[in-house]
Amino acid sequence: MRQFYFYLLFLSLFVFIPNTHELEQAQTQVLLQLRNYLEYPSCLQIWENYYWDLCSVPSSAYMSIKCQDNVVTELKIMGDKSLKPSSSFNGFTIPNQTLSMNFTIDSFFTTLTRLTSLRVLNLVSLGLWGELPDMIHRLSLLEVFDLSSNFLFGVIPPRMSKMVKLHTLALDGNYFNTTMPDWFGSLTNLSVLSLKSNHLKGSFPSSLCKIKSLEVISLSHNELSGGLPSLSNLTGLHVLDLRENHLDSELPILPKAVVTVLMSNNSFSGEIPRQFRELSQLQHLDLSSNHLSGVPLSALFSLPSISYLNLARNVLSGSLVEKLSCGSELGFVDISGNKLHGGLPSCLANTSGRRVVKYGGNCLPVESQPQRRGSYCKESSSVWKKFKAWEIAAAVAIIVVLVIAILVFGVFLCKKIHPRKTTEEVVLPKLVQDNSTTRTGVSSEILASARLISQAMKLGTQATPSCRQISIEELKEATKNFDMSTYIGGGSIGKLYKGKLENGSFVIIRSLALSKKCSIQNLKTRLDLLSKLQHPNLVSLLGHCIDVAQDNYSNHKLHLVYEYVPNGNYRTYLSEFTSGKALKWSDRLAILIGVAKAVHFLHTGVIPGCFSNQLKTKNVLLDEHRIPKLSDYGMSIITQEIEKFEVCFLAIQYSFVKSDMIDPQATSSFCVLQAKGEKPKSCLGTHLGDDVYNFGFILLESLVGPVASDKGETFFINEKASFDSQDGRKKIVDPVVLTTCSPESLSIAISITTKCISPDSASRPSFEDVLWNLQYAAQVQATAEADQKSDSPS
């Protein structure tokens, strides 16, 4: 009997011991969603046999999943989309090479970042295309990250600098085409950095010199230029691959432990540093196709570990040491295409098949390999030095001529300016002088202008067009001389007209009155900056017209010309009284995500960010495909120049009269007046100036309808508790939303809405967090709708 009880005890222990590799259901769902996004690659077909536990799928060369404590810690997938287009990738899908048009990279990575315990992530040759989202930094535990051989382009996200546990980062074979990032200094554990075969520009990232753990730097086949810093501090560096760039300095000092140095097809010049004699562990050295001069270092041939040495196609000259010693490991030498003369050392001439030696295209007295003759060989390496001296002399001469020309032009300009001074004061009254200056004597007006010019220059590198100047005659013709039949109302700032240009396209024209103290030069700089804020979810600024009245400076006007968005504003699609027109929940989420992307761009896509963007449902316009476009954004850039600070002072005075107190926040706000002497229409203080806060009310309107906008913050405070229960939600949430949403998706949206409208500005989320939550809500909604379709009878 005892044996029977003992047997039962043993059996119960065996049954109830949990399987440490069994995967959480939520993680399984994420993996299956990822497979769906990747359009079911063949290497993942095996998953169909392991739905009960994907951690048990056997690893292969193309797929590997590892789990720990019921969560995924390693995910490796290698697809078969490694073939690259013969021409450059233009950002559009390519059949059989990229994933289809249905693929959205934001949705893919929104789902992927739910695997928060990932330490190893390899997604290679899968046809991923688009810009790598900034949210990738949410995978903060990643140690190995490889997205090689895909179709990723744009910027390498700066927030990856927060992934401090990374020791391997590989983004080879993509289409990243902006400036090489230089934020690597925070990745103190990084040992392998491989960004080869992209289109990265700029200089070598100096921040890499701070990472002493680096073992591999591979930046070949890019468009890097400029010089290289000393790399001697990288004591653990073993591989340095900088082939096929435009680097043009002298060769850098290298760490003594380096094993492989590949620097061919650049423009390095000068002599090979004598420090290279100390590289006792160096095995492979390729310096071919540069502009290196002088006599090759004899010590390179006899380094104890050297096996591959390529110095071909430089301008090396002089003669090699007759008793040159070659290392026992040396198996390949290429010194062809230089200007070497004299005898060929015996260790290179008599190889007996033990090593391959190429020495053609020099001036050597040998016949075994073709040599150059005649005048080419009579010239010594001094020719190159003379050429460099000629370049320097020519550069100095050009600079002298330019300085003289500038001085002459300056004298001419001074003479022209003085007689015009009175005339300019008639057209544009002189600016009131700002007595506040910096300690260096530079006025705050000049500093503000300099900041905007810097912004415009940074945005100018994005190849967007400058703001087109449109004549007032063209605008009068487009609007029938601003006839009231073309007037469509007043926006948050200025009057709005609908016009038709000569080419037949419709536009919206915003007309604003200019202050008499407005600086036209500064205004044009700000307009150019505003026109460069280009995003699919922003209404494009097409041009402008500064109408300067010659006789009456009080009539100066600024006209901003925007693209026409035909389908009205988002608010008109929210009311349950618009029968057959009110948007269902998934459509509202898609519009909210588009707006959030636009605002996230305005906050992070320019330096410094563009805030106070007039966020409200009336300013979200929908095109013919219901793609949202945010209007009235960035107006603070313009209004700061038009009104300056006097408007805020008037607004504060008005506030003081009305309430006998001044809000300390108001002094840092920008206030817009409807007209002279009228009370301020809006003052962007702590709440109204916070885009996250205002977007919270767009979310609230999307949930409950336009009533939220009509009653504002009072409505939210009174009804906030209703969101916490199902019965309360039925009472307050728009019926169209209730009948078309999944409860989980609705809960996510309510949660982020509540955080956005938090009275404490410090506790509000960033726009990146807002965007992530909305995309997650959309994922949950899409999954619920797909499940509902599959469950319904066919």
Side-chain angles (χ1 to χ4, degrees):
M1 195 66 177
R2 278 184 189 173
Q3 290 178 341
F4 176 73
Y5 283 122
F6 180 78
Y7 173 76
L8 285 179
L9 179 61
F10 176 78
L11 184 62
S12 63
L13 287 173
F14 178 79
V15 170
F16 292 105
I17 290 176
N19 182 357
T20 57
H21 296 291
E22 187 175 349
L23 197 58
E24 291 179 357
Q25 184 179 1
Q27 300 254 310
T28 300
Q29 290 177 348
V30 169
L31 290 174
L32 295 178
Q33 283 181 338
L34 292 177
R35 184 183 66 159
N36 182 30
Y37 284 126
L38 294 175
E39 298 172 3
Y40 297 89
S42 57
C43 62
L44 302 186
Q45 287 181 356
I46 192 173
W47 286 11
E48 296 177 5
N49 302 325
Y50 292 87
Y51 280 158
W52 56 278
D53 187 7
L54 290 175
C55 290
S56 301
V57 177
S59 299
S60 68
Y62 299 96
M63 193 283 305
S64 173
I65 298 178
K66 292 186 179 179
C67 307
Q68 185 177 346
D69 298 329
N70 302 332
V71 294
V72 179
T73 58
E74 177 178 309
L75 178 61
K76 294 181 180 180
I77 307 174
M78 178 180 289
D80 55 3
K81 299 182 184 297
S82 57
L83 184 65
K84 293 293 182 179
S86 55
S87 58
S88 59
F89 178 56
N90 60 7
F92 295 97
T93 59
I94 303 174
N96 301 320
Q97 294 184 36
T98 67
L99 295 173
S100 70
M101 282 292 293
N102 295 326
F103 174 76
T104 56
I105 195 164
D106 285 341
S107 299
F108 176 78
F109 278 98
T110 298
T111 302
L112 180 64
T113 52
R114 290 162 61 189
L115 300 177
T116 55
S117 299
L118 274 177
R119 290 179 173 82
V120 177
L121 177 62
N122 291 2
L123 302 174
V124 178
S125 299
L126 290 168
L128 302 175
W129 64 277
E131 296 190 46
L132 186 59
D134 218 18
M135 71 180 79
I136 192 65
H137 80 276
R138 293 176 180 272
L139 297 174
S140 57
L141 299 180
L142 271 186
E143 298 173 3
V144 177
F145 186 33
D146 187 352
L147 294 181
S148 299
S149 297
N150 284 292
F151 292 80
L152 305 174
F153 56 85
V155 180
I156 299 177
R159 292 204 177 186
M160 288 182 66
S161 61
K162 297 182 178 181
M163 302 169 71
V164 294
K165 293 185 179 293
L166 275 180
H167 65 71
T168 298
L169 175 59
L171 302 173
D172 303 338
N174 281 287
Y175 293 88
F176 293 108
N177 54 358
T178 55
T179 302
M180 171 69 73
D182 199 11
W183 39 251
F184 298 106
S186 60
L187 306 181
T188 54
N189 295 309
L190 196 64
S191 60
V192 176
L193 175 66
S194 189
L195 306 177
K196 62 187 179 184
S197 300
N198 281 282
H199 299 280
L200 293 166
K201 305 172 182 65
S203 57
F204 180 90
S206 58
S207 58
L208 292 179
C209 299
K210 302 176 183 178
I211 309 176
K212 297 191 176 181
S213 59
L214 268 174
E215 297 179 7
V216 176
I217 299 177
S218 182
L219 307 178
S220 64
H221 298 86
N222 279 289
E223 300 173 28
L224 302 181
S225 58
L228 286 181
S230 171
L231 304 177
S232 57
N233 287 337
L234 301 178
T235 53
L237 188 65
H238 293 156
V239 176
L240 177 65
D241 185 2
L242 301 175
R243 292 170 293 165
E244 299 279 353
N245 279 289
H246 308 302
L247 301 166
D248 56 7
S249 65
E250 294 186 349
L251 294 175
I253 302 299
L254 297 176
K256 294 182 180 180
V258 70
V259 174
T260 298
V261 177
L262 308 175
M263 305 173 75
S264 61
N265 292 95
N266 281 283
S267 298
F268 291 111
S269 59
E271 298 185 354
I272 300 173
R274 292 184 174 274
Q275 184 261 348
F276 280 28
R277 297 180 298 181
E278 303 171 8
L279 306 179
S280 58
Q281 299 183 44
L282 186 63
Q283 296 178 15
H284 306 89
L285 177 62
D286 187 353
L287 302 176
S288 61
S289 299
N290 282 289
H291 302 308
L292 299 174
S293 58
V295 180
L297 281 178
S298 300
L300 290 180
F301 298 83
S302 58
L303 289 174
S305 302
I306 193 74
S307 62
Y308 179 96
L309 178 61
N310 192 344
L311 305 177
R313 296 175 298 282
N314 281 284
V315 286
L316 299 171
S317 59
S319 58
L320 297 172
V321 177
E322 184 178 353
K323 295 183 179 180
L324 183 73
S325 173
C326 293
S328 59
E329 302 295 326
L330 188 59
F332 179 90
V333 178
D334 191 349
I335 53 175
S336 62
N338 284 288
K339 293 188 175 183
L340 300 173
H341 57 267
L344 191 65
S346 58
C347 77
L348 299 179
N350 305 319
T351 60
S352 303
R354 291 186 298 108
R355 67 176 60 98
V356 175
V357 180
K358 296 183 178 182
Y359 47 83
N362 281 288
C363 303
L364 301 170
V366 294
E367 301 295 335
S368 52
Q369 294 185 20
Q371 301 295 311
R372 297 195 182 193
R373 297 288 183 260
S375 59
Y376 177 84
C377 292
K378 291 180 181 178
E379 298 173 357
S380 66
S381 61
S382 61
V383 174
W384 176 254
K385 294 179 181 177
K386 289 179 182 177
F387 176 70
K388 295 298 273 187
W390 178 87
E391 280 189 319
I392 294 172
V396 170
I398 292 171
I399 291 172
V400 170
V401 171
L402 285 174
V403 169
I404 294 173
I406 291 170
L407 289 174
V408 171
F409 179 73
V411 172
F412 174 77
L413 192 62
C414 287
K415 290 182 179 179
K416 295 289 286 183
I417 286 175
H418 287 292
R420 289 175 56 192
K421 190 172 183 180
T422 307
T423 307
E424 286 184 283
E425 288 179 351
V426 173
V427 178
L428 279 176
K430 187 178 180 183
L431 282 172
V432 175
Q433 295 297 319
D434 185 358
N435 294 325
S436 63
T437 59
T438 63
R439 292 182 181 179
T440 59
V442 182
S443 71
S444 58
E445 174 74 18
I446 294 174
L447 288 176
S449 300
R451 182 176 74 100
L452 280 164
I453 291 169
S454 174
Q455 286 176 263
M457 289 176 65
K458 287 173 183 174
L459 282 170
T461 61
Q462 299 176 6
T464 54
S466 296
C467 191
R468 176 192 166 203
Q469 294 190 32
I470 302 176
S471 67
I472 187 62
E473 290 74 21
E474 188 176 355
L475 293 185
K476 286 181 178 179
E477 184 177 347
T479 59
K480 301 176 183 178
N481 199 18
F482 294 96
D483 188 81
M484 285 305 295
S485 62
T486 64
Y487 178 73
I488 59 175
S492 56
I493 300 173
K495 297 179 179 180
L496 298 177
Y497 299 85
K498 181 180 177 182
K500 186 177 182 180
L501 299 180
E502 287 181 348
N503 60 9
S505 60
F506 288 99
V507 293
I508 296 298
I509 301 164
R510 181 193 303 277
S511 297
L512 305 93
L514 290 178
S515 166
K516 63 183 179 180
K517 296 183 176 66
C518 174
S519 165
I520 299 299
Q521 182 179 358
N522 288 347
L523 181 60
K524 287 181 177 179
T525 302
R526 294 168 186 262
L527 285 168
D528 195 41
L529 172 63
L530 187 63
S531 70
K532 288 181 169 66
L533 297 177
Q534 299 288 326
H535 189 275
N537 299 113
L538 293 177
V539 176
S540 297
L541 176 63
L542 304 178
H544 72 272
C545 171
I546 301 175
D547 184 16
V548 180
Q550 299 295 326
D551 53 347
N552 185 355
Y553 61 72
S554 64
N555 290 331
H556 297 343
K557 288 186 178 180
L558 169 65
H559 304 284
L560 301 176
V561 182
Y562 293 92
E563 67 170 314
Y564 173 64
V565 184
N567 268 12
N569 65 63
Y570 178 41
R571 190 173 194 241
T572 60
Y573 290 83
L574 294 179
S575 173
E576 66 270 24
F577 302 111
T578 53
S579 177
K581 193 178 179 183
L583 296 170
K584 63 180 183 179
W585 178 237
S586 58
D587 292 334
R588 299 187 191 198
L589 279 175
I591 291 170
L592 292 170
I593 288 171
V595 177
K597 285 181 178 179
V599 183
H600 184 239
F601 165 76
L602 292 170
H603 286 190
T604 63
V606 291
I607 302 174
C610 181
F611 302 95
S612 300
N613 289 297
Q614 307 287 322
L615 299 185
K616 57 184 75 173
T617 51
K618 287 184 178 180
N619 289 341
V620 177
L621 308 180
L622 303 181
D623 70 6
E624 60 273 18
H625 305 294
R626 282 188 177 171
I627 294 175
K629 289 179 176 287
L630 180 64
S631 67
D632 287 22
Y633 62 89
M635 289 307 297
S636 58
I637 295 174
I638 301 300
T639 53
Q640 284 171 3
E641 180 56 42
I642 293 176
E643 301 292 349
K644 296 294 181 187
F645 302 103
E646 62 179 1
V647 180
C648 265
F649 177 72
L650 291 172
I652 293 169
Q653 281 187 320
Y654 177 82
S655 176
F656 182 82
V657 171
K658 294 293 289 182
S659 62
D660 294 329
M661 62 177 293
I662 297 179
D663 180 1
Q665 299 288 348
T667 58
S668 62
S669 309
F670 183 79
C671 309
V672 180
L673 295 183
Q674 281 292 92
K676 188 174 181 180
E678 191 175 344
K679 70 178 183 179
K681 184 175 180 181
S682 63
C683 290
L684 305 180
T686 309
H687 287 175
L688 294 176
D690 189 333
D691 282 344
V692 175
Y693 182 83
N694 290 336
F695 187 74
F697 279 96
I698 294 180
L699 291 172
L700 187 61
E701 275 193 72
S702 301
L703 290 167
V704 305
V707 64
S709 175
D710 298 336
K711 297 183 180 180
E713 190 174 281
T714 304
F715 173 85
F716 177 72
I717 293 172
N718 294 338
E719 303 292 346
K720 181 179 177 181
S722 300
F723 284 122
D724 297 334
S725 66
Q726 292 296 331
D727 291 338
R729 292 180 184 182
K730 290 179 182 178
K731 169 188 170 185
I732 189 175
V733 174
D734 188 334
V736 177
V737 173
L738 281 176
T739 56
T740 59
C741 76
S742 77
E744 295 81 6
S745 178
L746 182 63
S747 295
I748 296 167
I750 289 174
S751 174
I752 194 64
T753 301
T754 304
K755 292 176 182 177
C756 288
I757 311 179
S758 169
D760 180 14
S761 59
S763 64
R764 294 174 198 152
S766 68
F767 244 95
E768 184 192 4
D769 291 327
V770 174
L771 180 57
W772 188 92
N773 278 276
L774 288 175
Q775 288 173 330
Y776 183 33
Q779 295 295 321
V780 172
Q781 179 67 25
T783 302
E785 290 178 356
D787 292 343
Q788 188 176 8
K789 278 186 180 180
S790 61
D791 292 342
S792 62
S794 56

